[in-house]
Amino acid sequence: MMLLGDEAVGQGVMDAGLSGIYAYPGTPSTEIMEYIQSSPLTKQSNIRCEWSANEKTALEAALGMSYAGQRTIACMKHVGLNVAADPFINAAITGVNGGLIIVVADDPSMHSSQNEQDSRFFGKFAMVPVLEPSDQQEAYDMAYTGFSLSEKYNIPVLLRLTTRLAHSRSGIKRSPVLKQKKLNLPADPTQFILLPAMARKKYKRLISQQSLFEYESSKSSFNKLIKGKNKNPGIIACGLAYNYLIENFEDHMSPYTVFKISQYPVSRVMMAEFLGLCREMLVLEEGYPLIEESLRGMMDDCRTVHGRMDGYLPRDGELNPDLVADAIGLPSRKIFKVPDIVRDRPPSLCKGCSHADVFSALNEAIEVYGKGRVFSDIGCYTLGAFPPYNAIYTCVDMGASVTMAKGAADAGLVPAVTVIGDSTFTHSGMTGLLDAVNDQSPVTIIISDNSTTAMTGGQKSSATGRLADICSGIGVEKDHIRTIIPLKKYHRENVIVLKEELGYHGVSVIIAQRECIQTAGKKKRAS
Amino acid sequence: MKTDIILAGVGGQGILTIAASIGMAALHHNLYLKQAEVHGMSQRGGAVQSHLRISDRDIASDLIPLGTADLIISVEPMEGLRYLPYLSENGWLITNMNPVKNIPDYPDPDQLIRAIKDISNYILVDADQIASEIGSKKSGNMVVMGAATPFIDIPYSSFEVGVGKIFVRKGEETVKINLEALRRGREYSERMRK
């Protein structure tokens, strides 16, 4: 089978007896859920596979399915794990019943993200085993065997992908399909009760398991110590970096000793053996310098360690075969230059996009108040930051447009405006709206409702058709919940509505409702 | 055998369809394959690229090293030039000549064509013109792919199988017209190469 790294994970967990997947869309993790949703196995085995409202609800639901004894996964992008951090850290302490894998896809180089945080740190923080595949086959195998590891120690397992692997296709060999687990309550009825007295005991158990997790790493076939002719430098290659390394050698055979690390915590037994073989070392990590930093330590005087922290490799961004070749000291090839006339081509809103009409109307309505008043969020509409719109001033994290506008309004910036999408609003905007209502903050919340999660390719949005009811339920006054249709022909009317609400000293919500032209087009083609 | 290909274009132009069709042809011919794609934000009208690697041996990196690509296949003239540092000294640039001008500072098309002609090995094809001649404006990407087929060491019949498999869900007529686009692109390329 030819599968993306994401799809390989999806196939691996399905073959290992998955009962349910919980996820919120986010590049580069989205295709795991999409693959499972469209797989024939899903129907046969009745695998639960709908999108969740956000990553926290997804992981909690997965933990519930694990409580009930079944194998389950929660999937998200790296910043999604921030949202799900509370259940993630605590699930390590409760432990699991049915196998639980948390799949997180990091985005080094920020191809489609606002930062490039490295989820291996989160794994270390929660003190759980972390798996980091070097290729699509390992992604499949780790997904397939991850449940057994999880169930053996009653611990959630973190499976970390990065963009290149998530979105690259290669051939996969499958393992036999396993049966799903039956409903089965935890043997200890107090396992999931984290009252302080119980939590202390469970935390001690988690600490005592650390050496066992390390033992698993030293036995794991995903970790390898490959001895080479040349003693120095010894090379540590984590996850995908291993492939970038061997790409540089004839027949993929490294003349240097290589410690390939794909399962954490790092086995100190293997590390000791590796350190015994070399005086100097190079650390290749697709992300932050996690291992490099711990090798250097505070004293930084043991021996020579090279990597991202001393300029052998860039401190930020994803790796590639060329950066690795350069770090080893291989000669660089002659390459063609990009002609000077080539210009950047950033992404832009689609022709006919409803967000564009929202920004045109908003720019006109807000002109009298001056610049710097529009708080926005994560989605296609973030492209409103670019010309010709130049319409927004913030994009920080899911839902922050509502709460930041509220805070700025509290500070006296009146009116303060939010532009947020429908899916982002239900992900993390609703609670902020409640804060604004309780404080009667003078904010104008524009929900640019295209009835889908558009940026990630048009997944189902949680509350399509129910946004006005939700806002009313939260306590926004009915007279100040306005619905407009963002089309050029209604531009003048829309500007009037916006001006009225900008002039209102309280919470108002304007729902600008028109379907995403991409999903509308897809529906039309399908029918 | 080893062919490393950079596919380039603008989000929405169908470079992933080319990648999938060539990939299908390679599989039909029992070759190894790795294909790195761009998903997410850039698909909204931005510059997009895909690294496609075909080999009769195991492939390590998902990304092609600089200066080693055998081919750049581009459905837009400026986008092909963007990835020139990947092209090997003897590599070929196969590109459509029709610009997608969705940025305010798009360069002068004549200058672009001159920059392409500065490269020693190139095929410049008016894929839009050929596609409209066969009555399917949307098949420009298959014309460009066809123009690239003489440079990939896979029998032409395997490419036809690949295209057939990719378009089969859209019906027999669509398969037929895309095969025609493929053939016209190949013929053009073979004429120009002589």
Side-chain angles (χ1 to χ4, degrees):
Chain A
M1 295 180 93
M2 286 298 298
L3 297 179
L4 294 176
D6 275 348
E7 296 172 342
V9 168
Q11 190 64 52
V13 289
M14 281 194 289
D15 289 348
L18 181 77
S19 290
I21 167 174
Y22 298 85
Y24 182 80
T27 312
S29 71
T30 313
E31 293 80 0
I32 307 169
M33 172 69 99
E34 290 188 320
Y35 182 74
I36 291 178
Q37 284 176 334
S38 64
S39 163
L41 251 177
T42 299
K43 274 212 181 96
Q44 285 165 31
S45 311
N46 195 25
I47 294 170
R48 188 272 168 204
C49 57
E50 289 295 328
W51 293 106
S52 301
N54 66 38
E55 294 86 356
K56 179 175 182 285
T57 66
L59 180 46
E60 289 159 348
L63 188 62
M65 186 173 267
S66 163
Y67 172 93
Q70 298 187 337
R71 292 186 160 183
T72 175
I73 64 170
C75 306
M76 58 203 72
K77 68 184 294 174
H78 56 333
V79 285
L81 187 55
N82 298 339
V83 178
D86 204 357
F88 177 63
I89 305 291
N90 290 314
I93 299 178
T94 62
V96 306
N97 185 23
L100 170 62
I101 304 175
I102 295 122
V103 188
V104 181
D106 291 356
D107 190 18
S109 281
M110 305 179 223
H111 297 281
S112 249
S113 305
Q114 64 272 45
N115 75 31
E116 58 173 32
Q117 67 188 59
D118 185 332
S119 296
R120 294 178 304 161
F121 275 87
F122 247 126
K124 195 177 151 111
F125 189 35
M127 301 165 72
V128 300
V130 178
L131 304 172
E132 188 192 14
S134 66
D135 62 14
Q136 290 81 353
Q137 184 66 52
E138 277 192 353
Y140 175 88
D141 293 338
M142 286 173 172
Y144 187 80
T145 57
F147 289 131
S148 313
L149 179 64
S150 170
E151 285 162 4
K152 184 173 177 185
Y153 295 100
N154 285 87
I155 191 78
V157 169
L158 179 69
L159 174 52
R160 183 226 188 197
L161 301 172
T162 49
T163 308
R164 284 303 162 189
L165 182 55
H167 287 165
S168 175
R169 239 170 254 284
S170 187
I172 297 296
K173 285 197 189 77
R174 284 174 66 185
S175 300
V177 178
L178 306 178
K179 269 198 191 140
Q180 289 170 317
K181 300 265 174 174
K182 294 210 174 72
L183 200 67
N184 169 36
L185 291 179
D188 170 9
T190 68
Q191 185 193 334
F192 286 82
I193 306 175
L194 292 185
L195 273 168
M198 299 167 183
R200 281 182 213 114
K201 278 187 204 148
K202 289 178 199 308
Y203 182 50
K204 280 189 200 300
R205 176 179 171 271
L206 177 63
I207 292 169
S208 71
Q209 281 182 315
Q210 297 303 304
S211 56
L212 299 172
F213 298 161
E214 224 183 281
Y215 171 71
E216 287 292 331
S217 294
S218 58
K219 276 197 331 182
S220 166
S221 60
F222 303 127
N223 293 335
K224 275 183 210 141
L225 193 61
I226 307 148
K227 291 179 189 163
K229 299 190 302 279
N230 302 357
K231 289 289 169 237
N232 290 299
I235 301 173
I236 295 174
C238 301
L240 192 59
Y242 178 71
N243 282 341
Y244 294 149
L245 174 67
I246 61 171
E247 173 71 27
N248 285 294
F249 304 123
E250 188 76 30
D251 295 328
H252 304 159
M253 298 291 286
S254 168
Y256 305 98
T257 293
V258 178
F259 184 11
K260 170 187 180 291
I261 299 179
S262 281
Q263 182 167 336
Y264 306 78
V266 175
S267 156
R268 273 176 290 187
V269 176
M270 291 181 87
M271 185 61 91
E273 193 184 345
F274 171 76
L275 294 178
L277 293 170
C278 55
R279 281 186 318 281
E280 208 178 327
M281 67 200 96
L282 173 67
V283 191
L284 308 173
E285 299 178 82
E286 182 75 322
Y288 290 2
L290 173 88
I291 291 178
E292 185 184 345
E293 201 170 4
S294 68
L295 279 174
R296 286 175 183 279
M298 277 286 177
M299 311 220 318
D300 203 5
D301 68 350
C302 52
R303 65 181 91 187
T304 315
V305 181
H306 301 300
R308 286 192 184 269
M309 294 173 76
D310 68 348
Y312 268 62
L313 292 160
R315 183 63 181 78
D316 62 336
E318 65 177 341
L319 297 177
N320 60 45
D322 301 298
L323 290 173
V324 172
D326 195 40
I328 313 171
L330 296 177
S332 55
R333 286 177 209 90
K334 215 178 104 189
I335 58 168
F336 293 110
K337 263 181 50 193
V338 180
D340 294 336
I341 51 166
V342 173
R343 298 279 176 270
D344 283 347
R345 194 192 302 261
S348 54
L349 291 175
C350 306
K351 214 173 158 191
C353 174
S354 62
H355 298 314
D357 293 317
V358 170
F359 287 130
S360 309
L362 175 60
N363 279 348
E364 189 174 325
I366 205 167
E367 205 181 353
V368 291
Y369 298 103
K371 293 184 184 303
R373 297 171 172 275
V374 182
F375 298 81
S376 195
D377 227 296
I378 317 279
C380 288
Y381 48 89
T382 318
L383 297 170
F386 292 133
Y389 313 105
N390 300 314
I392 66 164
Y393 298 89
T394 71
C395 158
V396 181
D397 67 82
M398 295 287 281
S401 59
V402 178
T403 27
M404 283 183 73
K406 180 208 179 307
D410 293 345
L413 187 75
V414 180
V417 179
T418 288
V419 176
I420 187 169
D422 49 312
S423 183
T424 308
F425 176 71
T426 47
H427 177 290
S428 287
M430 297 189 295
T431 43
L433 180 59
L434 181 59
D435 282 348
V437 166
N438 290 344
D439 252 11
Q440 304 216 333
S441 304
V443 289
T444 305
I445 313 284
I446 300 170
I447 304 178
S448 196
D449 171 18
N450 58 8
S451 305
T452 187
T453 313
M455 177 65 101
T456 45
Q459 294 75 25
K460 201 172 139 189
S461 179
S462 283
T464 298
R466 287 178 287 147
L467 290 169
D469 289 345
I470 287 172
C471 295
S472 162
I474 285 172
V476 182
E477 286 172 42
K478 283 227 159 60
D479 293 348
H480 294 285
I481 300 173
R482 314 281 296 266
T483 300
I484 62 173
I485 301 168
L487 274 172
K488 279 197 183 58
K489 61 178 173 181
Y490 302 124
H491 177 78
R492 279 184 58 193
E493 295 156 63
N494 293 345
V495 171
I496 292 167
V497 171
L498 281 162
K499 280 185 173 168
E500 283 170 6
E501 296 307 327
L502 287 172
Y504 169 64
H505 202 86
V507 179
S508 47
V509 173
I510 296 160
I511 301 170
Q513 206 286 318
R514 178 157 70 83
E515 190 178 15
C516 165
I517 57 151
Q518 294 286 348
T519 52
K522 256 188 228 164
K523 275 187 203 160
K524 208 172 147 194
R525 286 194 296 273
S527 65
Chain B
M1 131 332 145
K2 175 222 87 157
T3 308
D4 284 339
I5 306 169
I6 299 279
L7 290 144
V10 178
Q13 276 195 305
I15 70 159
L16 290 183
T17 309
I18 301 181
S21 304
I22 299 177
M24 211 49 110
L27 287 184
H28 183 71
H29 203 57
N30 283 323
L31 294 167
Y32 288 95
L33 173 72
K34 272 198 176 174
Q35 183 202 324
E37 304 174 356
V38 170
H39 295 207
M41 198 177 222
S42 301
Q43 284 179 303
R44 303 274 165 270
V48 290
Q49 111 296 103
S50 169
H51 291 223
L52 178 60
R53 313 192 71 184
I54 305 166
S55 175
D56 53 7
R57 298 161 73 187
D58 208 16
I59 301 162
S61 169
D62 298 272
L63 296 175
I64 298 168
L66 292 171
T68 66
D70 303 282
L71 283 177
I72 295 176
I73 304 176
S74 180
V75 281
E76 207 275 350
M78 184 174 78
E79 292 309 320
L81 294 172
R82 191 186 301 284
Y83 304 101
L84 268 190
Y86 284 98
L87 196 63
S88 77
E89 231 173 325
N90 305 315
W92 283 76
L93 169 67
I94 317 296
T95 182
N96 187 5
M97 64 166 68
N98 299 280
V100 175
K101 296 181 185 176
N102 65 349
I103 46 169
D105 56 348
Y106 194 90
D108 171 33
D110 293 337
Q111 270 188 314
L112 270 181
I113 301 298
R114 272 201 297 276
I116 291 167
K117 290 184 174 171
D118 278 347
I119 302 162
S120 40
N121 301 324
Y122 70 90
I123 300 282
L124 191 59
V125 55
D126 191 344
D128 297 20
Q129 170 64 28
I130 294 176
S132 43
E133 276 170 28
I134 61 171
S136 171
K137 282 185 184 165
K138 280 199 276 179
S139 302
N141 58 346
M142 284 298 117
V143 175
V144 177
M145 173 178 158
T149 55
F151 301 92
I152 307 170
D153 192 13
I154 294 176
Y156 184 65
S157 59
S158 294
F159 288 112
E160 291 180 316
V161 172
V163 170
K165 281 189 177 169
I166 292 299
F167 287 99
V168 68
R169 277 188 312 166
K170 297 190 172 171
E172 216 170 292
E173 194 51 38
T174 311
V175 172
K176 219 176 110 190
I177 208 135
N178 279 292
L179 284 175
E180 173 70 4
L182 189 78
R183 190 180 61 80
R184 292 286 296 268
R186 183 178 175 93
E187 283 173 5
Y188 177 83
S189 189
E190 281 174 334
R191 269 204 311 279
M192 297 314 288
R193 207 178 164 187
K194 280 171 193 165

